[in-house]
Amino acid sequence: MVHFFLALTYADPSQLGWDMSISPLGDGRNFDIRIDSLDGTQRIYRTQQLLSCSGLYDLLGKGTRVWKAVLLDKGEPQGESVILKDAWVDANRETE
């Protein structure tokens, strides 16, 4: 029991399951989502509206969220809105 509480106390957020590529905005309902490409480039999208949250509150499952978002360029929205799918994928599963 002591080991468990010490592990929780000294773990960093990513070890506790927080996704460090998602940053909440001040309103608490929208986020900046960083996407790192295989070629090393990085894009940041700002969510505008939650479209779906299927299985988000289930204890087990994918917890998929679908967002309407816009690409940021130097912190400013650029271009038209896109749809982003945010889902929990097990380590041994392939992505879409």
Side-chain angles (χ1 to χ4, degrees), residues 15-88:
Q15 291 172 319
L16 293 173
W18 292 103
D19 186 347
M20 303 310 292
S21 67
I22 300 177
S23 304
L25 299 176
D27 64 6
R29 297 182 314 168
N30 290 304
F31 304 88
D32 281 350
I33 300 176
R34 185 186 75 238
I35 298 176
D36 299 316
S37 299
L38 294 176
D39 65 3
T41 59
Q42 186 180 91
R43 291 179 290 197
I44 298 177
Y45 290 88
R46 178 160 293 157
T47 63
Q48 298 174 313
Q49 179 183 1
L50 180 63
L51 301 175
S52 173
C53 59
S54 172
L56 187 61
Y57 300 107
D58 295 342
L59 184 58
L60 297 173
K62 296 178 182 165
T64 302
R65 293 184 293 184
V66 179
W67 296 96
K68 178 180 175 184
V70 65
L71 180 65
L72 295 182
D73 183 23
K74 299 176 185 162
E76 295 298 320
Q78 169 190 334
E80 294 188 28
S81 296
V82 297
I83 302 297
L84 290 181
K85 179 181 176 183
D86 172 32
W88 181 270

